[in-house]
Amino acid sequence: MNPAVFISLPDLRCSLLLLVTWVFTPVTTEITSLDTENIDEILNNADVALVNFYADWCRFSQMLHPIFEEASDVIKEEYPNENQVVFARVDCDQHSDIAQRYRISKYPTLKLFRNGMMMKREYRGQRSVKALADYIRQQKSDPIQEIQDLAEINSLDRSKRNIIGYFEQKDSDNYRVFERVASILHDDCAFLSAFGDVSKPERYSGDNIIYKPPGHSAPDMVYLGSMTNFDVTYNWIQDKCVPLVREITFENGEELTEEGLPFLILFHMKDDTESLEIFQNEVARQLISEKGTVNFLHADCDKFRHPLLHIQKTPADCPVIAIDSFRHMYVFENFKDVLIPGKLKQFVFDLHSGKLHREFHHGPDPTDRAPGEQVQDVASSPPESSFQKLAPSEYRELLVNGKRLKPTTLPRLPAYSLLLLASQPSKCLGT
């Protein structure tokens, strides 16, 4: 017979307390630290990854760490599979090469990745556990609306860019590629799909993808490439979803400036669609080769009065075309000249060559002077960049209506409504 073991009452209470504490203490998830050795493998294998690019010396980075970790715990309970959702971080001081690779210019920056591809829109919402968790839930939701009856197509929102896939079955390589593309571009297009008997009338030559542009007059476009080739499918759909000429607003201005490309902007009245169409056509005709070196944009004259005043224009002068190089702004002499073959192209080439900048400071280049004309410098000062002010502030605190806003609750505010307070080092930002 084994001897009885007696535990004193205080020891028993202590043991029970430790047991209860162990049972009810949530298990925290270790945030994955990325470095040059593991970053590609981890991100490429993750359906969705939210990466915190931080610097230890930045107070806002320090404040975000516990929020980021708690949000990761919440999401891991809902998506327990290792590769469904990954929360990761990069110490940008220790891994400046990674920061440079992803063009990180401020801390902390939250970037979303899908299957290793970085999304162009960084997370700019509230820095709270709930907001981060809701953001990931939204990213994990199905980006494709299933069509139950082809009659639904007649009631599509034609103000949007619609991509419709017609498939024999959902469990197919064709649809998996379509689904992957939709998960990346769903912010730019509305994606819809139909299967089986519902889609049969549109599958006369096999599975099919159709692009329906905004409006009711433009014809549909059919994808003719390989539906199992992700790169080809993605490039075709991206070309349709992301227009060559985009609208700049106060909401996306910071995002566009962070792309680092000079702006070629048409300022036009909101109801002046004719000028916009002319500008779009001429950009496509003359400047398609400049895609990737210049951002082609259009802006509402009423909303962007400040940049117009900067170049000594008012809404009454619209339509107006200008370049903002992020140093200076240069005005295209006459909007009607955009129809002259090569004129708009030359305006952009003159930016690249430095001619616009030289002529503002020193008058026309020698080749543009009449024979025998005396050469002399003409002192001039081109207007400074106006849209540079839409870029992220170099200051980390904001004062609005006399109140200093907490960094975790900073709203997205129009650039010109903010009173900036110079305080701590640049690049350490609350938003």
Side-chain angles (χ1 to χ4, degrees), residues 130-402:
K130 182 180 184 304
L132 288 174
D134 286 346
Y135 174 68
I136 293 299
R137 292 186 190 106
Q138 181 187 16
Q139 297 301 318
K140 289 295 291 180
S141 62
D142 193 341
I144 304 172
Q145 176 188 336
E146 184 172 344
I147 297 170
Q148 304 297 336
D149 189 320
L150 292 184
E152 295 175 28
I153 295 174
N154 297 325
S155 58
L156 286 180
D157 183 351
R158 295 308 298 268
S159 67
K160 296 181 178 179
R161 299 168 184 273
N162 292 282
I163 302 286
I164 308 173
Y166 300 100
F167 302 92
E168 183 177 0
Q169 55 186 4
K170 199 168 189 176
D171 184 18
S172 66
D173 290 339
N174 286 352
Y175 182 70
R176 278 187 280 274
V177 168
F178 184 74
E179 190 175 34
R180 187 179 168 196
V181 172
S183 71
I184 296 169
L185 295 172
H186 65 89
D187 286 336
D188 301 295
C189 268
F191 284 83
L192 305 97
S193 62
F195 304 96
D197 291 339
V198 175
S199 66
K200 192 172 183 178
E202 296 289 340
R203 289 189 291 104
Y204 41 84
S205 59
D207 288 354
N208 198 14
I209 297 175
I210 300 290
Y211 167 61
K212 287 185 174 293
H216 294 274
S217 57
D220 295 349
M221 301 180 71
V222 182
Y223 175 59
L224 300 176
S226 168
M227 296 188 69
T228 56
N229 187 314
F230 169 79
D231 290 334
V232 175
T233 306
Y234 174 80
N235 289 335
W236 187 84
I237 295 179
Q238 183 194 42
D239 184 61
K240 306 300 175 285
C241 290
V242 182
L244 184 60
V245 178
R246 294 178 283 177
E247 181 177 11
I248 185 169
T249 65
F250 285 121
E251 287 70 33
N252 69 3
E254 181 178 323
E255 175 186 312
L256 289 171
T257 58
E258 285 186 337
E259 293 181 14
L261 302 177
F263 292 169
L264 177 68
I265 311 174
L266 167 70
F267 295 93
H268 67 108
M269 302 305 292
K270 189 173 183 180
D271 58 355
D272 181 10
T273 57
E274 181 182 353
S275 296
L276 176 57
E277 186 175 351
I278 291 172
F279 182 70
Q280 290 171 327
N281 290 339
E282 291 307 316
V283 167
R285 183 177 292 114
Q286 300 184 41
L287 294 170
I288 190 67
S289 62
E290 291 300 304
K291 186 178 181 180
T293 65
V294 175
N295 262 331
F296 307 113
L297 307 170
H298 67 100
D300 185 329
C301 284
D302 278 327
K303 289 182 180 178
F304 285 90
R305 287 172 178 263
H306 183 91
L308 283 173
L309 288 173
H310 223 55
I311 54 176
Q312 299 180 339
K313 302 288 185 181
T314 70
D317 297 310
C318 290
V320 172
I321 296 174
I323 285 176
D324 191 313
S325 70
F326 297 146
R327 289 185 63 196
H328 299 296
M329 293 187 73
Y330 307 98
V331 182
F332 189 70
E333 189 172 346
N334 188 327
F335 174 77
K336 292 179 181 178
D337 289 347
V338 76
L339 294 171
I340 299 175
K343 189 79 171 180
L344 190 63
K345 185 175 185 177
Q346 188 62 51
F347 184 52
V348 172
F349 280 9
D350 287 347
L351 169 74
H352 293 326
S353 69
K355 181 179 178 181
L356 291 179
H357 187 78
R358 289 195 308 273
E359 290 193 344
F360 260 112
H361 287 288
H362 307 294
D365 278 355
T367 54
D368 295 330
R369 294 190 179 97
E373 184 179 349
Q374 187 175 358
V375 176
Q376 62 179 13
D377 281 355
V378 179
S380 176
S381 180
E384 291 183 357
S385 167
S386 185
F387 284 89
Q388 188 181 30
K389 297 171 187 176
L390 289 176
S393 161
E394 291 186 352
Y395 310 114
R396 67 170 194 168
E397 293 183 293
L398 298 172
L399 189 70
V400 178
N401 296 329

